[in-house]
Amino acid sequence: MRASCVIFVALLCCSLSCAKLFDDELRELTEFLRLQMRCGYPARGVPILAPAQMAYKEINTRTESFGCQGNFTELIIEGLDGYEFSKLEWNNVLHTIKFDINFPKISLKSSNYKLNILARLFGADFSLWGDGVFNLELINFRAYGKFIIRPKTATSGVYVKNWDVTWELEEAKSQTTGIMNSRLYSKFINDLVKEYLELLINDNPTEVSQFMEELIVPPMNLVLDNVAWYEIAAIIVGLVDGILPVEPIC
């Protein structure tokens, strides 16, 4: 209890300055997270993320220019641990994290998918459905922006708010089958995926940010609900050792 109070007081003193940093503590934290993604972190409710595997995943999302509903069976996502940070800053006063991260290659595969899609492309609406094998690669998928971390209380969980992140994509590759139950449609859509995904992501930053926020923030908050404010802040500013393990836990 005394140690917790000392950490909390130290954090209050640190927050009087606006220091932004991407120092050894943050670098070590990102490298630890890269390794830990291969094992998950069951004590904090984090599943294995490298690769991420889900026996069944439902999708139901809609933005102004894109809607998708359906499910994936035996979904595998690879490449999440290949991230590269070019910027990572923590603001002690505003409790804001600013970052610029790139994923050189993310692979999404499913032994069976069932999707209904409604989208707007080149000013026109179109719809399609698919039921087959899903295979998609995202090349140089970049995210940059900021979000705020707020404590529920000093000793209970924290949560993410004010998500303001822009996403960019250099290239997409698709070898998905079963589109409109037609090989011709499947070939056409796979050829279209490259241009369409680049347009969808790069030219619709607001809608894509909203979609990714709905995908990422809720599970992130579930995990952060198990982390006390003084713990996460102490890790970020490097005040204490021993909160995170020194090597991955498997």
Side-chain angles (χ1 to χ4, degrees):
M1 180 66 182
R2 181 177 299 175
S4 298
C5 292
V6 170
I7 294 171
F8 182 64
V9 171
L11 289 171
L12 287 176
C13 293
C14 284
S15 67
L16 295 177
S17 68
C18 290
K20 297 177 180 178
L21 47 89
F22 184 10
D23 57 8
D24 290 340
E25 285 77 15
L26 283 174
R27 291 180 186 274
E28 290 174 2
L29 175 59
T30 61
E31 288 306 309
F32 166 78
L33 293 176
R34 187 195 309 278
L35 295 175
Q36 192 63 44
M37 288 172 75
R38 304 169 189 171
C39 309
Y41 204 164
R44 298 296 191 184
V46 181
I48 294 173
L49 296 174
Q53 302 183 54
M54 289 167 274
Y56 183 82
K57 175 64 177 179
E58 289 191 0
I59 299 292
N60 188 1
T61 186
R62 180 172 295 278
T63 68
E64 184 176 341
S65 60
F66 179 77
C68 181
Q69 184 175 15
N71 60 76
F72 293 90
T73 301
E74 296 178 354
L75 178 64
I76 299 176
I77 304 175
E78 298 179 299
L80 295 177
D81 60 335
Y83 57 76
E84 300 168 347
F85 277 101
S86 59
K87 178 180 181 180
L88 185 59
E89 297 177 350
W90 166 254
N91 187 298
N92 290 330
V93 172
L94 301 177
H95 301 160
T96 300
I97 290 181
K98 295 183 179 180
F99 67 95
D100 191 331
I101 185 174
N102 183 63
F103 298 89
K105 178 181 176 181
I106 296 179
S107 171
L108 300 91
K109 298 179 181 179
S110 171
S111 62
N112 179 246
Y113 77 96
K114 294 180 173 62
L115 292 178
N116 290 291
I117 297 174
L118 178 64
R120 175 173 288 271
L121 182 63
F122 306 124
D125 292 332
F126 74 93
S127 62
L128 58 86
W129 59 269
D131 184 348
V133 175
F134 188 84
N135 190 335
L136 177 67
E137 289 184 359
L138 305 179
I139 308 299
N140 286 329
F141 192 33
R142 178 191 176 204
Y144 58 93
K146 62 184 179 180
F147 59 88
I148 295 175
I149 295 180
R150 283 283 187 261
K152 292 184 176 179
T153 69
T155 57
S156 65
V158 300
Y159 64 97
V160 170
K161 63 174 294 185
N162 291 14
W163 179 268
D164 181 15
V165 180
T166 299
W167 299 80
E168 295 179 353
L169 177 65
E170 179 180 307
E171 184 181 3
K173 300 178 181 179
S174 178
Q175 299 181 31
T176 298
T177 67
I179 299 172
M180 306 295 283
N181 197 30
S182 166
R183 290 184 179 181
L184 183 61
Y185 264 107
S186 296
K187 183 180 185 307
F188 173 74
I189 294 300
N190 282 325
D191 291 341
L192 184 63
V193 159
K194 171 182 170 58
E195 299 296 334
Y196 176 67
L197 274 184
E198 291 176 19
L199 285 172
L200 177 68
I201 294 174
N202 298 331
D203 293 352
N204 297 277
T206 301
E207 289 83 356
V208 173
S209 180
Q210 177 186 338
F211 172 77
M212 296 302 292
E213 180 178 3
E214 293 173 356
L215 186 67
I216 295 173
V217 173
M220 182 187 296
N221 281 338
L222 285 176
V223 173
L224 292 176
D225 193 50
N226 297 318
V227 183
W229 167 247
Y230 72 85
E231 288 181 311
I232 194 167
I235 293 169
I236 291 173
V237 299
L239 288 178
V240 295
D241 295 321
I243 291 180
L244 283 177
V246 295
E247 59 185 24
I249 300 174
C250 290

